[in-house]
Amino acid sequence: MMDALLTWYDQHSRDLPWRRNPDPYRVWVSEIMLQQTRVEIVSPYYQRWLELFPDLPTLARASLEEVLKAWEGLGYYSRARNLHRAAQVVMDRYDGELPSDPRALQRLPGIGRYTAGAIASIAYGLDVPTLDGNIRRVLARLFNVVEPVRSSQGERLLWELAASILPAGQAGAHNQALMELGATVCTARNPGCGRCPLAAACPARLLGVQEQRPVSQARRALPHYTVTAAVIHRDGLVMITQRPVEGLLGGLWEFPGGKQRPGEDLVDCLKREIYEELGVDIQVQDVLGVYRHAYTHFRVTLHAFHCTLANGDSPRAIQVNDLKWVEADELGNFPMGKIDRQIAKTLQDSI
DNA sequence: TTCCGGGTAT
DNA sequence: ATACCCGGAA
């Protein structure tokens, strides 16, 4: 049955940038980018990344700022920080050679069980299984797994299944074939069972429950926050601040501000936040824009305002990592998350 | 407009 | 168990 899968993959594998010249560094970069992110989004980022950081030593020598800038827009920025840090570890501890042993790989920052299995099998030809969202879905259907796949029991079962169907000597192609099948045929919605090489052997399909596999838990409702941000102008420059390196949007630049408290109006909220973070009083002027965005576990509506300093005091980096006064034209040089990039664009377009 | 998908670290 | 982002489908 798995022969049918490999034959199918031979004929249907997409020509993706990281499949052309798959050295371990490239496989690694592609796998980190592909965590939580679709192929179509990753492709252009991957190609730019390889121009900027063509090999592991180049990445290790780069600054965190350059790395975050290259990652801007991809989300989950700890992936970029960990990739950068791991490259430095590989230089120090492994003489610049990415290890092939899955356990050694998994000790590197940002590499978990999935990525370790993917690199070991794809880049080094080791006979090890791996399990990502695509493979999880394919196997849940192919073995009609009724356990919720994210439960510890479900996870254990799926890893066992992944190991049990591994063809000796072809784990790399096999793992990629399962992922490709999940991405292009055995999709979460409207699966293409009619063109699936495994359809005849698929119990979920035979039972007509393919759309109900994998079984997943319901999401909790996301809280919604109203937040404010200040574009503080002085002498033709605007101020940006850098977020702490850990946590949400870690190390990225933004327009300072924060969450509105119950009973507080937007202007008071912004004045308070700026005083707390930067130790200065501001005057809040016109609205620059209103932006909506969803993060992993909350949504925000952000109100951005043009602002000026209320007196001669200079802002100090109290609750922020760093602050800078920059020309609107230079804003593109600083890594930012989605919302702040939109604010910066609004600002640049208005000048 | 809401909903959904997707690995690692702690 | 929970934090972490964004794009695309419904």
Side-chain angles (χ1 to χ4, degrees):
Chain A
M1 171 174 83
M2 289 305 138
D3 284 348
L5 176 65
L6 285 170
T7 304
W8 172 86
Y9 182 60
D10 246 10
Q11 294 163 356
H12 295 88
S13 73
R14 290 168 292 178
D15 175 31
L16 301 175
W18 45 90
R19 287 186 176 153
R20 282 173 208 151
N21 193 348
D23 68 57
Y25 169 71
R26 291 170 180 228
V27 171
W28 177 32
V29 170
S30 70
E31 291 302 340
I32 300 295
M33 286 188 172
L34 288 163
Q35 291 171 6
Q36 316 291 78
T37 315
R38 293 179 166 77
V39 161
E40 315 82 68
I41 309 293
V42 165
S43 285
Y45 279 90
Y46 176 83
Q47 311 207 47
R48 261 180 281 135
W49 186 276
L50 279 194
E51 288 165 18
L52 290 166
F53 317 115
D55 49 35
L56 193 150
T58 308
L59 174 59
R61 282 195 304 270
S63 71
L64 178 58
E65 192 97 353
E66 294 172 289
V67 167
L68 287 174
K69 185 62 200 168
W71 201 271
E72 180 180 309
L74 267 185
Y76 289 103
Y77 297 91
S78 65
R79 292 182 294 166
R81 299 195 303 272
N82 285 335
L83 187 53
H84 184 224
R85 212 147 48 85
Q88 295 169 342
V89 172
V90 171
M91 292 305 289
D92 289 349
R93 306 235 327 245
Y94 298 101
D95 205 22
E97 287 288 315
L98 191 65
S100 59
D101 171 27
R103 281 172 310 180
L105 285 166
Q106 228 180 304
R107 269 182 246 121
L108 294 169
I111 300 185
R113 197 172 175 189
Y114 159 72
T115 307
I119 294 173
S121 64
I122 297 170
Y124 291 112
L126 271 56
D127 277 335
V128 294
T130 193
L131 186 68
D132 74 340
N134 283 315
I135 299 181
R136 195 174 274 121
R137 186 172 56 254
V138 171
L139 296 185
R141 289 172 178 164
L142 200 52
F143 293 92
N144 192 24
V145 173
V146 182
E147 296 285 340
V149 289
R150 306 309 309 220
S151 69
S152 50
Q153 290 219 20
E155 282 288 296
R156 187 165 53 239
L157 174 56
L158 286 163
W159 275 100
E160 282 168 12
L161 289 171
S164 74
I165 60 170
L166 213 59
Q170 305 188 80
H174 169 84
N175 288 336
Q176 292 186 83
L178 284 174
M179 292 191 263
E180 191 79 351
L181 188 70
T184 63
V185 175
C186 194
T187 48
R189 279 171 295 207
N190 309 316
C193 299
R195 48 202 172 81
C196 177
L198 306 178
C202 180
R205 152 131 165 114
L206 297 175
L207 296 165
V209 295
Q210 62 271 26
E211 304 254 21
Q212 280 79 58
R213 304 287 178 272
V215 176
S216 57
Q217 295 109 309
R219 272 193 193 207
R220 289 211 315 269
L222 300 183
H224 177 270
Y225 303 121
T226 301
V227 304
T228 55
V231 178
I232 304 176
H233 298 261
R234 187 179 72 183
D235 303 332
L237 303 177
V238 295
M239 193 185 59
I240 53 174
T241 54
Q242 190 178 38
R243 298 178 62 91
V245 225
E246 299 300 327
L248 185 74
L249 304 170
L252 299 193
W253 292 85
E254 67 178 1
F255 298 97
K259 210 187 294 181
Q260 185 181 35
R261 293 179 178 169
E264 190 177 46
D265 72 31
L266 292 171
V267 170
D268 288 344
C269 164
L270 191 50
K271 286 182 168 175
R272 175 182 54 74
E273 288 285 348
I274 297 305
Y275 188 78
E276 289 172 3
E277 292 180 11
L278 301 157
V280 290
D281 292 317
I282 54 166
Q283 291 190 329
V284 177
Q285 320 273 1
D286 301 341
V287 174
L288 183 147
V290 180
Y291 308 84
R292 274 162 243 286
H293 195 68
Y295 295 91
T296 310
H297 51 292
F298 61 92
R299 304 170 185 288
V300 295
T301 300
L302 180 149
H303 300 258
F305 293 88
H306 291 288
C307 299
T308 52
L309 294 170
N311 52 45
D313 295 351
S314 278
R316 293 166 289 135
I318 298 172
Q319 286 182 12
V320 299
N321 221 30
D322 197 4
L323 70 85
K324 276 191 159 68
W325 291 96
V326 302
E327 308 260 5
D329 282 354
E330 306 174 79
L331 286 168
N333 300 334
F334 298 88
M336 292 181 171
K338 265 294 154 185
I339 288 198
D340 288 275
R341 180 54 66 213
Q342 284 180 260
I343 299 173
K345 281 205 159 58
T346 314
L347 190 60
Q348 288 168 293
D349 292 347
S350 73
I351 289 174

